[in-house]
Amino acid sequence: MILCLGAGAKHRGRAEPLSSTNDSRHLRLGPTDATEALRWWVRAGVDATLDETPHDRFAESSGAEQRLGPNAPGSAREPSTAPETASPARLSGGGKPPEAGEIAARALAEAATDLETLRSVMADFDGCALKRTATQLVFADGVPGSRVMFVGEAPGGDEDRIGRPFVGRAGQLLDRMLGAVGLDRRSVYIANVVPWRPPGNRTPTLQETQACLPFIRRQIDLADPEILVCLGGSAVQTLLGVPGGITRVRGSWSDYKRDRGPPIRALAMFHPAYLLRQPAQKRLAWADMRALAAALKT
Ligand code: URA
């Protein structure tokens, strides 16, 4: 949850002495009151502070053209039950010329010849606005070179704090799903399309996704898995571009086309965060995990 403070909020980067004014725009809090207020906000669920300049988030998020899929704000990385509508054409920029961030990302990604270099150029990259609000880059977990690579949408709050993908509740479910077919984080590689947490866990915008796309594509190239598992509608649409919502395409195999080299077999699956909200769908996810295990046997 993000707390949007009122007009006076922007004046206070640190606690200021208590003033006698009754005007709430000039409310001053002493250190004790400020600490108590902060504790109250944390108990109320506030887990993100952004910046001191007001933003009209409603106006920003109402640009439906800019959105990836139908994931509702606040349920990022959790596909909705509604069919997804994003088309590959929109996801590849809708024919628009690439933005500066994407151009810079492409050049940096191309030049990275190993994953450590890629991680370090991404950590220094300023072409995606999400970096400014995230705590840190969430690059990857698991073992590069594993036969299977999982890709999600973007980190959430736990991942942002810890710096590794899929460590929150959805990640714990993913661990159980892996365990059920004899896999674990030492036998797979895990990353996200967008490596910085979107504020308040909102869905990354098309522009943010496009700026990060060259990085995840290069990461896939360098990790070189035999099988790519795309978790959730966002990853499926962004990386595979298969038409149809995740409800329809989950369980299907397609080819992930690399810039160079042979394609990689790719499986579309429900996102574990979605399965937490829709446990009845775990039955289908189990079928997909078994299909994955069978494919790894061949
Ligand atoms: N959801 C994702 O898509 N990725 C994570 O790392 C965590 C939650």
Side-chain angles (χ1 to χ4, degrees):
M1 182 194 297
I2 301 171
L3 180 69
C4 300
L5 295 175
K10 65 180 177 171
H11 300 303
R12 282 180 295 285
R14 55 197 142 103
E16 294 173 43
L18 201 61
S19 115
S20 58
T21 177
N22 284 331
D23 182 346
S24 65
R25 284 172 306 155
H26 297 104
L27 180 70
R28 299 281 189 269
L29 293 179
T32 314
D33 288 339
T35 309
E36 200 38 53
L38 199 55
R39 287 213 179 96
W40 188 86
W41 288 331
V42 169
R43 282 199 301 273
V46 174
D47 64 356
T49 53
L50 298 184
D51 58 38
E52 300 193 352
T53 314
H55 295 272
D56 185 348
R57 302 282 173 202
F58 294 105
E60 284 171 17
S61 60
S62 69
E65 286 297 309
Q66 294 278 311
R67 313 291 293 184
L68 278 176
N71 294 356
S75 65
R77 289 158 299 294
E78 300 182 21
S80 78
T81 44
E84 304 208 10
T85 52
S87 73
R90 281 170 56 202
L91 293 170
S92 63
K96 287 202 202 120
E99 305 243 347
E102 187 184 343
I103 294 170
R106 263 191 216 163
L108 290 166
E110 290 254 315
T113 51
D114 57 69
L115 287 166
E116 259 328 294
T117 310
L118 184 66
R119 177 203 286 266
S120 112
V121 296
M122 286 167 69
D124 291 342
F125 180 66
D126 284 322
C128 176
L130 292 176
K131 185 186 172 187
R132 289 200 285 278
T133 50
T135 308
Q136 58 185 315
L137 172 77
V138 176
F139 184 68
D141 200 10
V143 180
S146 297
R147 294 181 66 199
V148 52
M149 175 170 178
F150 288 81
V151 182
E153 180 184 278
D158 293 314
E159 290 75 21
D160 182 60
R161 259 190 305 280
I162 294 168
R164 284 167 46 215
F166 285 98
V167 290
R169 282 183 65 228
Q172 287 154 20
L173 176 57
L174 178 61
D175 285 340
R176 293 198 293 279
M177 290 161 67
L178 293 175
V181 293
L183 299 171
D184 61 23
R185 287 187 189 231
R186 287 161 303 177
S187 52
V188 303
Y189 186 60
I190 307 175
N192 282 303
V193 171
V194 170
W196 292 282
R197 181 201 188 195
N201 289 350
R202 65 166 169 74
T203 304
T205 63
L206 177 58
Q207 195 184 18
E208 289 156 356
T209 302
Q210 290 300 123
C212 297
L213 192 53
F215 292 132
I216 184 62
R217 289 186 62 85
R218 187 71 179 137
Q219 199 169 353
I220 295 168
D221 261 345
L222 293 168
D224 198 22
E226 259 171 57
I227 295 176
L228 183 69
V229 180
C230 295
L231 296 170
S234 246
V236 168
Q237 292 287 347
T238 306
L239 296 174
L240 306 181
V242 286
I246 186 66
T247 316
R248 192 134 49 90
V249 302
R250 65 128 282 279
S252 65
W253 291 87
S254 56
D255 277 347
Y256 166 78
K257 291 170 196 67
R258 320 160 86 139
D259 297 329
R260 270 174 246 113
I264 299 173
R265 289 184 77 200
L267 174 63
M269 275 191 65
F270 280 139
H271 194 289
Y274 170 74
L275 296 173
L276 288 174
R277 299 193 313 174
Q278 301 286 334
Q281 305 284 19
K282 286 184 185 170
R283 188 175 52 85
L284 298 172
W286 172 235
D288 298 344
M289 287 306 286
R290 284 180 40 200
L292 172 65
L296 286 170
K297 283 212 180 95
T298 59

